[in-house]
Amino acid sequence: MDVSTCLKSLLLAIRQYRNNRSALNASQLQKHIEDVSGLKCGGVLFSGQVLPSECLSGLMEVAGDPNTSHVLTGSIISLLAQFASDGEAKEALHSSYNFTGTLAAIIHCNRSTPEEPLVLQCLNVLQRLTYNVRTLHCASHIHELISFLMQHVQSNNDDIVKACLGLMANLCRHDISVQSHIKSQSNVKAFYRALINFLGHNCLTVVVFALSILSSLTLNEEVGQKLFNAKNIHQTFQLIFNITVNGDGTLTRNYAVDLLVDLLKNPKIADYLTKYKHLSVCLSEVLGLLHSKDPDTASKVMELLVSLCSVPVLRKLVCETILRPPAPRLQPGTRKGVQARGSEPSLALVHWVTSPLDGPEQCYMQALSLLAELFEEAIDSSLCSSAQSFVELLLQEVLGLLQSPDSTEGDQMLKKRCLRAGCVVDFLLVLCGDDALRMLVSQRLSPEVCVSQVELLLSYSQDLSGSTCTTSNYHLSQVCSEVVLKTLELMSHLRQQMPDMETSFYRILQDQRMVTPLSLALTSNCREHVQVALRMLFEAAPLPNFPSVILGDSIAANNAYRQKDSELSIRSISANEDVSFVGKSFPTVHAEPSGSAYQSIDSLIEKLQNGVEEKVRDVHMSEIIDVYEQKLSALACKEGHLQDLLEAKARALSQADRFIAQYRRQRAQAEAEARKLASLLKDTERKKEDLQTELNDHLLEVERLKSDSQQLLEHNSRLQAVADQHQELKGTYNQLLSRYDKSEGMLKELQAAHISLNQQAEGLRKTNEGLKLQQERTLAEVADKEQQIKSLKTDVQEKERKITGLQNDLRRHEEQIHEMEENISILRKELNKTEQARKDTSIKASSLELQKSQLEAKLEKMEEELGKHTQMIAMIHSLSSGKLKGDITANLSL
């Protein structure tokens, strides 16, 4: 079953369930949801077409209904949660379909039973959906969601606590309205105390969440200044680096890196980090993570390094660590994983820069941004020459990324390729800041690569402007225009070293297709884009064939579009504020400078204000409406574009007539001025002859003055040489005098040391003789003790032999007892005697064992004394050998 058929069946099941909420319809809807979840249809669902939009709006309405069963709601949330990791789908769920408000409403409806699995599922999906995305404070049920999170951070369920803290960290980050709302709550102090208590939690994820919330809320307040002061901040740094290097999960590492990035924006904390004593070791271990095979981990590490480069001192340290020639930086106590990662993070950066386009987009973008930061620092420092070999290796890989994009690729791949090409050009522009590196780039980069890329992007941008005016086409056209202008700026830097590049540069500037990139950049809200466009306009304005009139008309049209866009945005916002929660069946459409967007938004506002809900009852009819809407919007866009071109041509013709009349007037004025200049030229020639004679007299006088000054300079140089010799002799005399004083002082010190060493040697000789006598006595005592030990051993052996004999006798008596059982009554007395003898024998044996243990204890004491004596003998020998070496060294020094 294809995607279109599945979506039609899903929409029909949604309508049947909304008309009749029976168990059969609910099961049918759940079955269709499972069928759609098994298909990879994210691109179709969020394409903006009518059928997928109606399906998503219907699913939102069913999930947001409090009467819907938890099982069905959970299935819908699971289906939509699959797309929370995709960037465009996440943005559409967040902004166009208000998925955040729907989940917040579900949590609000189930606030009395927070232990429900549905609540935990909503919290986890919200945490993924709001990560690095700003939530509108005016969205539905956001205040209730914040109150729920503040209330349940102290829950007994660890999963609920972790999800609440993670979601709260996302909402608080970079959102002043949410922070102000939390601070205005009555229980904010208790909330702060709970967060501070979480800093001692055994789960590192909880600790990072709590620190992130506290940094967002209290960093610039008294609580934050106490929490992140000079005493505690070093522990925070160590915790963040430990989690970044040794963290088991990507989630905890991402939040730890985000926390450090946010803290570095505070100048005081950034200064604390520069003084952190373990920073170099931590930085080396963090750089080891670049060798990881996980692109998400590498991307987050590079994001951390880019943020470190925002601090000048840290940027220098990062640059030296990465670009310095490889040296062993690992400590003996590092983990095995770190040791196996390698010691050259620069090679890992090259690997991530050349990663494939279908991988994570942030990975190669962050790698190129980091390289640009590093080489900006290297150019300003002394590392540029040492990193030249690395630049040669890097250019071989990077220049291969500037290959011309294939027009047969999809829009998504083309956008990724253009974004990466823009970052590559930014990096090459940084390299052009140094003369040697610019020469290296000019040797490796051919003009054909730049020209082919610009030509293809210009033609593709032209096709986009002439096709259907959709949001994706508008954004893609902007990206292509930015890459074109950056490539032209690179060509302007390299045109002095490459003559062919200069010719191509001026030829492209006079192309009429350059109007679109220049007009988009000049009307952009990005400062860098405007500056690049102004630099290119400064180069292109004096050229004869530059289309300045068309550029002005295009800029005026863009300004008109932006003004209309802002008016429509204000109208849509005011209309959305008056709409109830039932109006979710109509997805919010963002206004872009296109006719289809304007018409759809106007119709949507009219429907919402009149309170009319028009539903398409037939799926085929919705598809037909979608097709005709697209055709009408394309025709309207083309008609507006042609009207703009006609107006531009008319203005160009009128301007040409004005230029012709102006040229005739200027020519008559020029002829009159030429006649005046001819008369002035004759007067100046006469004055020139008079001045020439005066100049010859002055030149003769100057020659005489030069000869006199030359003689004075020679005499002055001879005097200066004599003065220099005098100063040199005076300096050598002072040096010799100071050396003599030092030598005399050293001689006196050595004599005093010699006398003291002689006295010490005499004392050591006497102690050595006494120790020798003591050693002889000790050896004699040791020999006596050894003889006693031997005699005791022989006695013990004899007694053991007697014991064995007695035991043998005892065995024989027992055998006799068994043989003489018939005479047991007669021989009982003898048996008692034998028993008594056996007891005496055992008593004697136990006494002998006791004597044996005592003798062994004495033997151990003797051995301990013997060990002490041997240690004393060794000390005596070492002292005597040390004294002899001291005498020898003293004699040698004297």
Side-chain angles (χ1 to χ4, degrees), residues 171-379:
L171 295 177
C172 293
R173 192 181 183 211
H174 302 160
D175 198 331
I176 300 175
S177 58
V178 173
Q179 296 171 11
S180 302
H181 178 72
I182 293 173
K183 293 175 185 178
S184 64
Q185 298 297 308
S186 58
N187 58 342
V188 65
K189 292 185 178 179
F191 181 59
Y192 284 166
R193 285 194 294 270
L195 291 176
I196 292 172
N197 291 333
F198 281 131
L199 298 180
H201 202 273
N202 54 2
C203 180
L204 294 179
T205 307
V206 174
V207 176
V208 171
F209 286 162
L211 277 173
S212 179
I213 299 170
L214 287 170
S215 67
S216 299
L217 295 175
T218 67
L219 188 59
N220 297 319
E221 297 181 357
E222 185 178 358
V223 179
Q225 291 176 0
K226 291 180 181 178
L227 188 63
F228 298 102
N229 58 9
K231 295 181 180 178
N232 300 330
I233 195 63
H234 292 281
Q235 298 178 0
T236 305
F237 290 152
Q238 189 63 45
L239 173 68
I240 292 172
F241 282 118
N242 286 339
I243 292 173
T244 304
V245 177
N246 305 320
D248 297 330
T250 308
L251 177 69
T252 311
R253 180 182 287 116
N254 290 349
Y255 278 88
V257 172
D258 292 339
L259 174 60
L260 186 55
V261 169
D262 293 340
L263 290 176
L264 282 174
K265 295 177 182 177
N266 190 314
K268 187 182 294 184
I269 296 179
D271 184 58
Y272 289 152
L273 184 59
T274 58
K275 299 174 183 176
Y276 181 50
K277 60 181 179 179
H278 302 299
L279 179 60
S280 58
V281 178
C282 294
L283 184 60
S284 299
E285 293 187 348
V286 167
L287 289 173
L289 293 173
L290 292 177
H291 298 272
S292 172
K293 295 182 179 180
D294 183 16
D296 295 329
T297 300
S299 174
K300 212 63 187 175
V301 169
M302 286 185 282
E303 181 183 351
L304 173 60
L305 294 173
V306 171
S307 66
L308 289 175
C309 291
S310 62
V311 183
V313 179
L314 299 179
R315 183 166 84 161
K316 184 177 181 181
L317 178 61
V318 173
C319 182
E320 290 177 352
T321 308
I322 295 179
L323 297 183
R324 183 176 289 170
R329 294 191 298 270
L330 295 174
Q331 302 295 327
T334 52
R335 300 185 303 116
K336 293 181 180 179
V338 176
Q339 290 175 353
R341 286 172 182 159
S343 59
E344 291 191 55
S346 55
L347 298 180
L349 283 178
V350 176
H351 167 70
W352 291 117
V353 165
T354 57
S355 58
L357 280 174
D358 52 359
E361 180 180 340
Q362 290 296 323
C363 202
Y364 51 80
M365 301 287 281
Q366 293 285 359
L368 288 168
S369 301
L370 179 59
L371 285 172
E373 292 282 348
L374 294 177
F375 278 96
E376 279 183 6
E377 178 65 28
I379 289 172

Side-chain angles (χ1 to χ4, degrees), residues 112-162:
S112 58
T113 57
E115 293 82 10
E116 286 286 338
L118 180 63
V119 176
L120 181 60
Q121 183 184 13
C122 291
L123 289 172
N124 290 327
V125 175
L126 270 175
Q127 183 181 353
R128 291 171 56 193
L129 192 66
T130 58
Y131 181 70
N132 277 343
V133 175
R134 184 173 180 179
T135 305
L136 292 176
H137 190 242
C138 58
S140 58
H141 298 288
I142 291 298
H143 289 176
E144 292 83 355
L145 177 62
I146 293 172
S147 301
F148 177 86
L149 297 177
M150 293 179 68
Q151 181 182 356
H152 289 88
V153 291
Q154 301 184 31
S155 173
N156 296 325
N157 191 342
D158 290 340
D159 295 332
I160 294 289
V161 171
K162 190 182 294 185

